[in-house]
Amino acid sequence: MARDIELELNIKKTYEDTINLFLEIQNDLNMDMNEDELIELYIKELKRIIDYHSVAFVKFNEEKNLYIITKQKNYNNVLKKNLLKILRENFLLWAGKMRKAFVLKEEVEEIKTSVIVPIVIQEKIIGAFILNTIYVEEYFTKNKLKVLEIVTSRISIAFENVILYKDLERRNQNLKALKNYMDNVVQNMNDGIIVLDSEEKIRVYNKKMEELINIKRKDVFGKKLINTKFDIEFITKLNRIVKKEIKSYITEEIEYKIDEDTKILFGVGVKPLKLEEENAGKLIVLRDLRESKELKELKRIDKLKDEFLSMVSHELRTPLTSIKAYAETLIDMAQEDSIEKEFLSIINEETDRLNILINDILDLSKIEAGKMEFRIKINDINAIIKRAVKNMESFAAKKDIIIQTEFQDEKCEIPFDKDRILQVLLNLINNAIKFSNENTEIKVFCKHYSDKHILIGVKDNGVGIAKEHFETVFEKFKQTDNILKRNVGGTGLGLPICKNIIEYHGGRIWVESEIGKGATFLFTIPKI
C-alpha cells in the first residue's frame, strides 16, 4: 500500500515537473528563432531532465545521405570516436522509426549510457540530440523515459513549426518580391492602368495615368470613378463600359477633355478580374491613340518615300542608259586629246556614278523594306574573297596598289549569300583603294574569330578615320571629313548597305583605325 502511494506521488511529481518544464520551454520558444538558437534552447532544457556529461547535435544531410555534427559540448577525442560509431551503426535510424528516445549502454571512460533524442518530421528523421551520461541503464525509469518520449515529441513539433514558419516567411518574401516586381511593371507601362476592386473603388493607378491626365494617385486612390476629378463625360462613358456584363476583354474609344484646347483620344480596354470565380473587380487599360495615329502617319509617309525612291530610281535608269550609250559613241568618234573627248569622258563617268547611286538607293530601300532576297547556301568564303580581289585588281593597278590575301585555312565553307557577301567585299576593297595612297598595299584576310564566327578584314594604308567617326561611317549619306578633303566620290550608301547585309547574316561589321595609319574594316559571319 505504501509503495503504491509512493509510486502515485512520483508519477504526480513527474507529471507536474513535465508540465512546468513545457511551460518554461513554451515561454522561451520564439518563432523568430533560427535553427542554432532552437538547438541551444533544447540543449539547455534537456540538461534539466537528464544531467548529461556531454551532448552533441547531429543533422541529417539528405543530399549527401549522411549525418553532420553541428554542435558538441564537453567532447574529447574518445567520445568523438564513440559518437561516430553510433552514427555508423544506424542507431539514429532505429530511434527515428520508434519516434522516441533510445538509451544505449556504453562503457567509454566514465560514460555509462548514451541517449538518442530523435527529431522526426513527416516520418523523416532530420537530426538528433545525443546525450552522454554517467548513469547506468537502470537510472532511466519508466517515468523518466515517458518524460523523454513526450519531450522528444515536443522537440520534433518545435523544429517542424520553426521550419514551417521559415518556409512561410520565405514564401511571403517571394510574394512580396513578386508584388514589388508587378507593381514596378504596372507603374512603368506605356499605357495608363486603372484597377477597380469589387466595389468599383480605384486600387491601382499608375504613373502613366498621372502623366496623361495630370491627376495624382493620392487624389483618386480608394475612390469610385464618380467621386474623382476625372472629366465627367469620360467618367460617364467609362462607367457604362465597367458596369457591363463583361466576360472577356473589350475595347472602345473614349475622348478625355483636359481643357478647352486639349483632348486625348483613349483606346480603352476593360477586362473582368476573377478570384475563385467571384468578381474581384476590373482591369482598365487606357492607350493614348494620339501617338498611334502619329506613328501610322509616319509609316504612311515612310511608305510613300520608299515608293517614290523606287519609282524615281527606275525612271532614271532609262534616260541614263541612253545618255551613256550616246556618250560612249561620241567618245569613239572624238579626236584624241580633244576638249570634246575630255568632256564626254566626264559625262560617261558621271553617268556611271549616277547608276551606282541608283543601285545603292534601290538596294537600301529593299533591305529596309525587308524585300531584298538572300540565298543562304554553303559556300567557300575564301573563293569569294579571291574573286572580289581579282575583280578589283585593274582598279588598284591605276594607283600601283597591290592587293594581298591571307587565309588561315585553304578552304572555309560556311553558310552565306555569295552575291551579297561579294557585294560587301567589293565595296570595302573599292573604298580601301580610293582612300589609299599610290604605291601602297592592301591586305584582305580571313581567319577564325571564335568557335562560332569567321572574321574577314580589309586593311589599307590610307589616311585613316578618326575614332569619333567609327559609327558615323555606317550611317546613310554620311562621309568623314577626311573623305571629303580627299575629294573622292561616293554615294554615302555603300557602308550602310554592307552593315545591313552583314547583320542579316547574323554577324557584325566595324572599323579599327588611326589617323594617318590607315583603316581596317572587319566583319564576322556565323559558321553555322
Side-chain angles (χ1 to χ4, degrees):
M1 181 72 176
R3 189 174 177 183
D4 289 342
I5 293 170
E6 184 182 353
L7 180 60
E8 187 179 339
L9 289 171
N10 285 338
I11 293 171
K12 185 178 179 183
K13 186 176 185 307
T14 301
Y15 176 78
E16 288 173 353
D17 289 346
T18 304
I19 293 296
N20 290 333
L21 179 62
F22 287 160
L23 288 172
E24 287 177 26
I25 292 173
Q26 197 64 39
N27 289 334
D28 289 338
L29 269 176
N30 187 330
M31 280 301 181
D32 287 334
M33 279 183 168
N34 58 37
E35 191 177 273
D36 285 342
E37 290 170 332
L38 195 62
I39 292 167
E40 284 294 338
L41 172 66
Y42 278 109
I43 284 174
K44 182 178 72 173
E45 299 302 338
L46 284 167
K47 181 77 171 173
R48 295 172 59 184
I49 301 170
I50 301 171
D51 187 20
Y52 54 74
H53 168 273
S54 51
V55 61
F57 180 79
V58 295
K59 185 176 180 180
F60 183 66
N61 186 310
E62 196 168 3
E63 188 178 330
K64 296 180 179 179
N65 195 32
L66 54 80
Y67 289 96
I68 298 170
I69 302 167
T70 61
K71 289 273 183 183
Q72 55 182 354
K73 291 189 177 182
N74 205 24
Y75 265 75
N76 57 26
N77 289 333
V78 175
L79 290 178
K80 283 180 185 176
K81 286 181 181 178
N82 188 62
L83 176 59
L84 293 173
K85 179 189 169 188
I86 292 172
L87 297 178
R88 280 196 305 270
E89 293 180 359
N90 285 328
F91 288 116
L92 271 68
L93 186 63
W94 177 251
K97 284 181 178 178
M98 292 194 302
R99 300 178 70 92
K100 62 183 180 181
F102 182 70
V103 180
L104 283 174
K105 189 176 179 181
E106 302 276 19
E107 286 295 338
V108 182
E109 295 183 339
E110 70 265 49
I111 302 303
K112 303 300 180 186
T113 49
S114 290
V115 182
I116 300 171
V117 180
I119 300 167
V120 182
I121 297 175
Q122 295 178 358
E123 306 301 324
K124 288 184 180 180
I125 182 164
I126 66 160
F129 292 94
I130 299 173
L131 318 174
N132 305 118
T133 82
I134 59 172
Y135 305 111
V136 294
E137 201 172 358
E138 288 73 22
Y139 168 79
F140 297 95
T141 61
K142 285 186 179 180
N143 289 342
K144 182 94 47 190
L145 289 172
K146 188 64 179 174
V147 171
L148 274 174
E149 184 180 338
I150 296 168
V151 169
T152 299
S153 175
R154 294 296 300 176
I155 291 175
S156 293
I157 291 168
F159 268 86
E160 185 172 17
N161 286 342
V162 168
I163 289 169
L164 289 172
Y165 178 78
K166 296 302 177 187
D167 185 57
L168 182 62
E169 196 176 50
R170 179 181 56 78
R171 287 169 184 262
N172 286 338
Q173 287 173 350
N174 290 342
L175 285 171
K176 188 177 179 181
L178 179 61
K179 181 182 180 299
N180 290 338
Y181 173 77
M182 294 306 299
D183 285 346
N184 194 39
V185 169
V186 169
Q187 289 302 321
N188 290 286
M189 285 183 72
N190 286 327
D191 294 329
I193 302 291
I194 298 174
V195 175
L196 305 180
D197 63 16
S198 57
E199 296 178 356
E200 295 183 1
K201 292 179 180 178
I202 296 172
R203 294 301 171 190
V204 175
Y205 182 87
N206 72 345
K207 290 177 184 177
K208 190 65 177 180
M209 281 304 303
E210 291 185 337
E211 292 171 13
L212 287 169
I213 61 178
N214 199 27
I215 295 177
K216 298 295 180 186
R217 180 179 180 276
K218 62 183 178 64
D219 297 324
V220 300
F221 187 79
K223 295 181 180 179
K224 291 190 175 184
L225 292 170
I226 195 67
N227 297 325
T228 64
K229 295 177 182 178
F230 294 160
D231 172 49
I232 191 65
E233 287 187 24
F234 174 80
I235 292 173
T236 304
K237 291 177 180 177
L238 188 57
N239 262 331
R240 178 177 53 80
I241 301 172
V242 168
K243 291 184 182 298
K244 281 183 180 179
E245 286 294 324
I246 306 168
K247 292 185 178 179
S248 59
Y249 193 72
I250 65 165
T251 57
E252 287 192 23
E253 291 186 3
I254 303 178
E255 199 170 64
Y256 189 100
K257 185 177 178 182
I258 302 291
D259 52 45
E260 292 300 325
D261 301 319
T262 310
K263 291 181 180 178
I264 302 175
L265 182 63
F266 281 121
V268 181
V270 180
K271 182 176 178 64
L273 300 175
K274 298 285 185 181
L275 186 63
E276 295 180 355
E277 300 303 318
E278 294 293 323
N279 174 38
K282 300 284 193 311
L283 168 67
I284 305 169
V285 181
L286 295 102
R287 176 162 294 177
D288 186 355
L289 294 183
R290 295 174 302 176
E291 294 178 6
S292 298
K293 289 189 174 182
E294 288 167 5
L295 187 61
K296 284 179 184 177
E297 182 63 14
L298 287 172
K299 285 181 178 178
R300 189 184 70 82
I301 293 168
D302 197 48
K303 185 180 178 184
L304 287 173
K305 177 208 73 175
D306 290 340
E307 290 173 354
F308 173 75
L309 285 173
S310 181
M311 180 192 69
V312 169
S313 300
H314 284 294
E315 291 299 322
L316 282 172
R317 282 180 184 276
T318 304
L320 278 174
T321 303
S322 299
I323 291 168
K324 183 170 176 60
Y326 281 119
E328 286 175 345
T329 302
L330 291 170
I331 287 171
D332 291 338
M333 294 170 61
Q335 294 180 3
E336 288 295 329
D337 301 326
S338 64
I339 294 174
E340 289 86 352
K341 188 161 187 172
E342 184 183 344
F343 287 168
L344 287 167
S345 296
I346 292 170
I347 291 170
N348 194 41
E349 288 171 7
E350 291 303 310
T351 304
D352 287 339
R353 201 162 74 85
L354 273 173
N355 265 322
I356 292 169
L357 176 60
I358 291 166
N359 288 334
D360 284 350
I361 289 171
L362 283 172
D363 280 348
L364 197 61
S365 296
K366 285 178 184 176
I367 290 170
E368 290 183 341
K371 294 178 181 177
M372 179 170 273
E373 291 183 8
F374 286 86
R375 295 178 178 86
I376 308 294
K377 293 181 180 178
I378 300 294
N379 294 292
D380 181 8
I381 187 68
N382 292 352
I384 301 301
I385 292 171
K386 289 172 185 175
R387 182 176 161 190
V389 169
K390 189 171 183 62
N391 287 355
M392 299 305 298
E393 278 177 345
S394 59
F395 181 41
K398 292 177 182 179
K399 295 176 71 174
D400 293 322
I401 292 172
I402 297 171
I403 306 176
Q404 299 282 3
T405 56
E406 186 179 291
F407 304 108
Q408 186 173 343
D409 299 322
E410 189 176 337
K411 287 185 78 174
C412 181
E413 294 186 332
I414 56 172
F416 63 92
D417 184 320
K418 64 180 182 180
D419 294 326
R420 296 303 171 198
I421 295 300
L422 178 63
Q423 183 180 352
V424 170
L425 286 164
L426 289 173
N427 189 285
L428 295 180
I429 297 170
N430 181 65
N431 284 348
I433 295 168
K434 284 195 294 186
F435 305 124
S436 287
N437 298 317
E438 293 182 356
N439 298 304
T440 55
E441 184 182 288
I442 291 169
K443 183 193 283 186
V444 184
F445 58 87
C446 176
K447 61 183 181 180
H448 296 279
Y449 183 63
S450 67
D451 292 340
K452 296 181 180 179
H453 290 84
I454 291 294
L455 177 71
I456 298 100
V458 178
K459 178 178 173 58
D460 65 47
N461 292 286
V463 292
I465 300 170
K467 192 173 182 178
E468 58 267 26
H469 295 306
F470 283 4
E471 298 295 329
T472 310
V473 292
F474 294 103
E475 294 177 14
K476 289 184 285 188
F477 303 108
K478 293 290 179 76
Q479 294 178 318
T480 70
D481 293 340
N482 283 325
I483 293 172
L484 294 172
K485 284 174 186 174
R486 288 184 57 80
N487 196 28
V488 178
T491 65
L493 292 175
L495 288 175
I497 290 170
C498 291
K499 185 173 186 286
N500 277 281
I501 290 172
I502 296 303
E503 287 179 352
Y504 180 89
H505 280 79
R508 70 182 185 99
I509 186 168
W510 70 98
V511 62
E512 294 175 359
S513 179
E514 286 184 48
I515 295 294
K517 294 185 179 180
T520 304
F521 280 84
L522 303 132
F523 64 90
T524 60
I525 303 176
K527 293 180 182 179
I528 55 172

